[in-house]
Amino acid sequence: MSEPLLRRWRTDREIRLRAQLGVFRRGSGDPTSRWGADGSFTRAAQTPAGAGTLHLWCCPDEAVVEARAWGSGAEWLLESVPALLGDDDDVSGFVGHHALVAEAWRRFPHWRVPRSGLVFDAFAPAVIEQKVTGQEAFAGYRALVRRFGTVAPGPFGDDSAGRGLFAPPTARGWATIPSWAWLQASVDGQRSRTLVRAAGHAGRLEEGATVSVAEAHRRLRALPGVGVWTAAEVAQRALGDPDSPSFGDYHVAKDIGWALTGTPVDDDGLAELLEPYAGHRYRVQHLLGLAGHHRPRRAPRMAPRRHLPTRIR
């Protein structure tokens, strides 16, 4: 096994890895990432230079992040560390117009919108998560990545117990998954077709990390089967966009409405509530989530659906 590449990144801002990088975990069994008992975070990804594994550990007392990376994508991943930890995020002009938003900002002043720079890496699981429960989506993504992904370079991919990390498939890899394998993973034809078609435009999508956020949204929304919700999921993770809230989500509008008004709202109501935060609407969404402001869940969890709606998200 080759030695890892190393980087120490120092910042004047407190870094809390769980708050900063939790959005990249696709369920507790996500085979592409792992939390360590020491608070470290490890993630495998497909980069423009190939598969790589990134291991991050933070020394809060020194405001230093230690990064190690393996694989052909190692150098690319190390270069991406500051942006991944939110160093490109501009919080100027952000004001908490609601008491709960201001309180959440006081509690999490260190949090910044991450930017992975990997568009298809965020796009594939978002499509799989369209219109189904999180439990079903995470299970499907887990099955497909373990079956068609790449064993993560470095020590985290070598696990005799079957819990080693995997980098997800490349765009070409997603496109070559046979139809029966999608169905075995409970991913219906509409979602698999969306992902396979998009793989043919992966180059244009990845360029979204180098063009304006508006242009990146346009390219995503031009794809059949991709709506505002899917584009927002990508923008939040890959593009570091603080202004792409999750319209169309089953929970988000209800949760934010309940938190800010005491009553769940729909997407129109959410747009009205977030209007004063133009430029920072996703920031509000995530800060409220970090602070634990979710409406009470009194009903049992929704069971996986067998007959899926056709509305584009």
Side-chain angles (χ1 to χ4, degrees):
M1 181 185 305
S2 61
E3 291 297 315
L5 299 183
L6 306 176
R7 178 176 185 176
R8 285 171 61 87
W9 181 64
R10 185 178 298 273
T11 175
D12 58 2
R13 169 171 56 91
E14 179 185 3
I15 299 292
R16 300 185 190 178
L17 292 179
R18 281 192 177 268
Q20 188 64 44
L21 301 177
V23 294
F24 293 99
R25 280 283 281 169
R26 303 289 182 166
S28 59
D30 182 2
T32 69
S33 64
R34 173 184 300 173
W35 294 111
D38 59 354
S40 63
F41 182 70
T42 309
R43 182 168 185 258
Q46 294 286 352
T47 78
T53 304
L54 179 67
H55 178 74
L56 299 172
W57 180 80
C58 185
C59 182
D61 295 338
E62 300 178 9
V64 172
V65 176
E66 294 186 358
R68 289 174 170 78
W70 295 260
S72 55
E75 185 174 350
W76 192 97
L77 288 169
L78 289 183
E79 290 178 356
S80 76
V81 166
L84 186 67
L85 297 178
D87 201 46
D88 294 342
D89 184 23
D90 182 5
V91 300
S92 59
F94 177 61
V95 177
H97 298 289
H98 296 83
L100 282 184
V101 176
E103 176 197 12
W105 185 226
R106 285 193 297 269
R107 288 179 58 190
F108 300 96
H110 50 82
W111 181 76
R112 298 292 184 271
V113 181
R115 184 181 187 279
S116 73
L118 298 172
V119 175
F120 214 86
D121 179 87
F123 178 81
V127 170
I128 291 173
E129 290 170 19
Q130 290 177 346
K131 304 173 295 185
V132 296
T133 64
Q135 179 184 12
E136 182 178 348
F138 296 152
Y141 181 68
R142 181 168 63 245
L144 290 168
V145 168
R146 287 197 174 278
R147 190 167 189 175
F148 299 102
T150 303
V151 174
F156 299 94
D158 184 13
D159 188 338
S160 59
R163 296 189 298 270
L165 292 186
F166 284 74
T170 62
R172 180 177 177 82
W174 284 112
T176 57
I177 294 176
S179 59
W180 51 265
W182 292 103
L183 295 175
Q184 286 181 337
S186 297
V187 177
D188 62 86
Q190 181 175 332
R191 286 178 290 155
S192 63
R193 284 191 297 272
T194 296
L195 193 41
V196 169
R197 279 194 300 258
H201 303 277
R204 289 276 293 170
L205 295 181
E206 292 294 354
E207 289 175 0
T210 62
V211 299
S212 69
V213 172
E215 173 61 15
H217 270 276
R218 188 195 67 78
R219 294 184 186 191
L220 287 163
R221 295 289 304 278
L223 295 169
V226 177
V228 62
W229 180 89
T230 304
E233 289 290 299
V234 175
Q236 293 162 11
R237 293 164 174 81
L239 308 180
D241 182 16
D243 198 42
S244 287
S246 300
F247 291 119
D249 191 271
Y250 184 81
H251 296 291
V252 169
K254 299 180 180 70
D255 285 345
I256 293 178
W258 180 85
L260 299 184
T261 71
T263 303
V265 299
D266 58 14
D267 277 352
D268 290 339
L270 177 62
E272 184 176 348
L273 281 173
L274 294 181
E275 184 176 358
Y277 299 101
H280 299 276
R281 293 176 298 171
Y282 171 62
R283 191 183 314 282
V284 171
Q285 173 186 324
H286 197 79
L287 284 171
L288 290 174
L290 285 176
H293 294 299
H294 305 285
R295 73 193 190 284
R297 305 285 203 267
R298 297 187 177 89
R301 288 183 178 272
M302 183 184 297
R305 286 173 279 185
R306 296 292 179 259
H307 302 286
L308 305 177
T310 58
R311 181 169 61 90
I312 292 175
R313 294 178 70 194

